[in-house]
Amino acid sequence: MGPETFFTEQLAMLDAFFSDPSRTCHVVRIDPEMRRMPYNYLARRDEDPTFPHLIFAHQEPFTSAEAWFARLTSMLHAQIADARENLAAAGVNVEVPPQRQERANKPWESWIDWTGQIADSLPAHAGALVFLIEPGEVADASVWNKALCFLADFTRSDRVKYLIIEPRLTPLLDDACEHPRIGSQLFWMSPAEIEQRANDVLLATQTARLQ
């Protein structure tokens, strides 16, 4: 495959993740000048009526797990409010589940319960709830890694997905990427790989001409 197929390959990896039951989270490491590409691609896909997945973007800084999950929940509440009638007509249960015990749930517990309930009630033809995450600022990388591992461990529906964007040169999620339910991809091609791909294409072309 030549250098010209690189972007097609990378974007196909995103599509594959959305329907992969073995992975809950997927980390995309990318350079700043290219970071809009996944956003633009998913925005175009989201406009396609045949695209089955629901995309929700969240770019709030990760100052603490409690604050971040609370803001993530507020974002989803706002999005659902705009589409509540359509969701209800499709049989989607968007009501907040009751507390687990006689105490206030932690924001991450409530999030797991609520998103699992929504995903489980989606019609059969629908795809996944995809949360496109790019915090921009992370106060504590170790807690950020633990938060993703928590999502990977406790998300009960394989129709709830987290797509995380982070900078290629200063990644924070090395520990989380060791989790078996967290995948990753490097949205980048080195000059050496570009040259190798170009040489492979040239060699294949020359071989075909000699046959």
Side-chain angles (χ1 to χ4, degrees), residues 56-58 70-80 111 131:
F56 303 92
H58 187 65
R71 288 194 293 266
L72 186 63
T73 300
S74 296
M75 177 277 296
L76 188 56
H77 272 296
Q79 295 284 339
I80 283 177
W111 175 260
F131 297 95

Side-chain angles (χ1 to χ4, degrees), residues 7 47 88 95 97 110 113 126 130 147 167 186 197 210:
F7 294 111
E47 294 172 356
E95 298 303 319
S110 299
D113 292 342
V130 179
L186 185 61
R197 285 189 177 217
L210 294 174

Side-chain angles (χ1 to χ4, degrees), residues 59-62 134-138 165:
Q59 296 180 320
E60 292 291 323
F62 189 87
E134 187 180 17
E137 177 186 347
V138 174
I165 308 293

Side-chain angles (χ1 to χ4, degrees), residues 84-104:
R84 182 174 291 272
E85 291 185 5
N86 291 336
L87 292 170
V92 181
N93 184 1
V94 298
E95 298 303 319
V96 177
Q99 301 290 327
R100 295 188 183 193
Q101 300 174 355
E102 293 182 359
R103 62 172 176 78

Side-chain angles (χ1 to χ4, degrees), residues 20-206:
D20 183 351
S22 69
R23 288 179 293 157
T24 301
C25 307
H26 188 71
V27 178
V28 178
R29 289 171 170 166
I30 193 167
D31 286 337
E33 63 270 18
M34 297 176 65
R35 62 173 287 278
R36 291 305 308 172
M37 184 166 290
Y39 285 95
N40 294 339
Y41 173 72
L42 293 174
R44 290 195 300 271
R45 295 300 307 276
D46 199 35
E47 294 172 356
D48 182 349
T50 65
F51 186 65
H53 310 297
L54 303 176
I55 309 290
F56 303 92
H58 187 65
Q59 296 180 320
E60 292 291 323
F62 189 87
T63 54
S64 71
E66 189 150 355
W68 188 79
F69 275 101
R71 288 194 293 266
L72 186 63
T73 300
S74 296
M75 177 277 296
L76 188 56
H77 272 296
Q79 295 284 339
I80 283 177
D82 292 338
R84 182 174 291 272
E85 291 185 5
N86 291 336
L87 292 170
V92 181
N93 184 1
V94 298
E95 298 303 319
V96 177
Q99 301 290 327
R100 295 188 183 193
Q101 300 174 355
E102 293 182 359
R103 62 172 176 78
N105 284 2
K106 294 294 185 181
W108 45 86
E109 295 173 341
S110 299
W111 175 260
I112 291 292
D113 292 342
W114 190 34
T115 53
Q117 174 183 283
I118 294 171
D120 289 344
S121 65
L122 289 171
H125 66 269
L129 299 176
V130 179
F131 297 95
L132 178 56
I133 306 295
E134 187 180 17
E137 177 186 347
V138 174
D140 189 324
S142 66
V143 179
W144 177 224
N145 277 265
K146 290 176 183 177
L148 286 197
C149 289
F150 169 83
L151 291 172
D153 283 332
F154 293 101
T155 296
R156 69 168 187 258
S157 174
D158 59 16
R159 301 173 81 182
V160 177
K161 302 290 187 180
Y162 300 90
L163 182 63
I164 301 95
I165 308 293
E166 71 168 2
R168 177 180 69 88
L169 295 178
T170 55
L172 299 176
L173 295 172
D174 286 344
D175 291 342
C177 287
E178 296 295 322
H179 194 289
R181 292 188 60 81
I182 300 178
S184 66
Q185 75 184 83
L186 185 61
F187 205 113
W188 179 75
M189 185 185 295
S190 69
E193 184 179 356
I194 293 172
E195 182 179 4
Q196 182 61 56
R197 285 189 177 217
N199 288 338
D200 289 345
V201 170
L202 180 60
L203 179 60
T205 301
Q206 292 172 338

